């Protein structure tokens, strides 16, 4: 059976990626990262529950808290406020410097060890917070670098099936393929009820609204 490493945050995008990987016949190796982010415990719980729902047994949760030590982002630095003033064209304070580059590099090492030929990541380029490490050109470039820096028999394809989709399309696909939206967590600030005001909550809520669907998770406040 073909094998894929899926980077899974516990959010709805990466969960849909794992769902699609399974639909494509991959044996999934689920990879989750703890980096001392504000909602780390809630995201870890989501990851575990999603893997249980999807029947993914091969899973790895890695501590990469050096990311928090580097800092320079509102997800790990509690002295910075999570932006709640709506979406803008600027890179927000919630951008974690080169996070996807770090995650993909570690995932590539796991993929080489597991003999996987695919790596799934739920990056979204157009309808997103505008993080530079979610650009398709970057992902393609790091894929080339990985294949140059691994064994000859390691031929890894980085799959980003959501990169050109809107959040509404992601919601619709999640419903179509029975991706467990009710288990996912997107909020940047709260691990009890989603705040409804941070960038991630706003993007998620707008996606559900445009898809004419109801979000199954609870919010303290809707937008």
């Amino acid at each position: 059976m073909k094998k894929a490493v899926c980077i899974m945050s516990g959010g709805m995008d990466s969960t849909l990626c794992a769902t699609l990987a399974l639909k494509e016949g991959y044996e999934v190796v689920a990879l989750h990262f703890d980096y001392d982010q504000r909602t780390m415990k809630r995201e870890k719980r989501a990851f575990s529950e999603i893997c249980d729902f999807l029947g993914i047994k091969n899973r790895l949760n890695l501590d990469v808290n050096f990311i928090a030590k580097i800092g320079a982002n509102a997800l790990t630095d509690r002295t910075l406020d999570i932006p709640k003033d709506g979406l803008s064209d600027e890179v927000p304070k919630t951008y974690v410097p080169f996070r996807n580059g770090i995650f993909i590099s570690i995932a590539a090492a796991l993929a080489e060890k597991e003999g996987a030929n695919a790596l799934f990541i739920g990056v979204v380029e157009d309808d997103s917070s505008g993080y530079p490490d979610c650009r398709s050109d970057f992902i393609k470039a790091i894929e080339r670098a990985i294949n140059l820096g691994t064994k000859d028999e390691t031929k890894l394809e980085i799959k980003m099936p959501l990169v050109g989709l809107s959040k509404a399309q992601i919601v619709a696909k999640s419903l179509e393929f029975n991706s467990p939206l009710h288990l996912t967590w997107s909020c940047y600030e709260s691990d009890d009820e989603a705040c409804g005001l941070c960038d991630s909550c706003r993007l998620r809520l707008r996606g559900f609204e445009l898809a004419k669907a109801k979000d199954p998770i609870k919010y303290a406040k809707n937008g």
Side-chain angles (χ1 to χ4, degrees), residues 13-99:
D13 298 345
S14 61
T15 298
L16 176 56
C17 280
T19 302
L20 294 174
L22 291 166
K23 294 284 185 185
E24 290 180 27
Y26 284 96
E27 176 190 342
V28 167
V29 181
L31 178 60
H32 179 77
F33 296 101
D34 291 336
Y35 53 100
D36 199 27
Q37 66 272 37
R38 293 173 191 251
T39 55
M40 183 176 73
K41 290 181 181 178
R42 186 62 185 84
E43 290 176 29
K44 185 186 292 190
R45 174 184 146 195
F47 169 69
S48 179
E49 291 176 349
I50 291 160
C51 286
D52 288 345
F53 182 92
L54 295 175
I56 300 171
K57 293 183 169 54
N58 193 349
R59 58 184 89 166
L60 182 62
N61 191 155
L62 291 180
D63 182 346
V64 289
N65 69 3
F66 65 85
I67 290 174
K69 293 177 181 178
I70 293 170
N73 72 90
L75 295 191
T76 62
D77 187 343
R78 273 68 169 176
T79 67
L80 299 175
D81 292 330
I82 297 287
K84 293 184 178 178
D85 50 3
L87 303 170
S88 73
D89 293 330
E90 296 181 357
V91 176
K93 289 189 291 184
T94 50
Y95 166 62
V96 180
F98 205 62
R99 178 178 59 181

Side-chain angles (χ1 to χ4, degrees), residues 196-213:
L197 297 173
C198 68
D199 283 1
S200 187
C201 281
R202 287 176 185 270
L203 283 165
R204 179 175 173 136
L205 284 166
R206 186 175 70 182
F208 274 91
E209 181 184 0
L210 293 175
K212 296 180 170 53

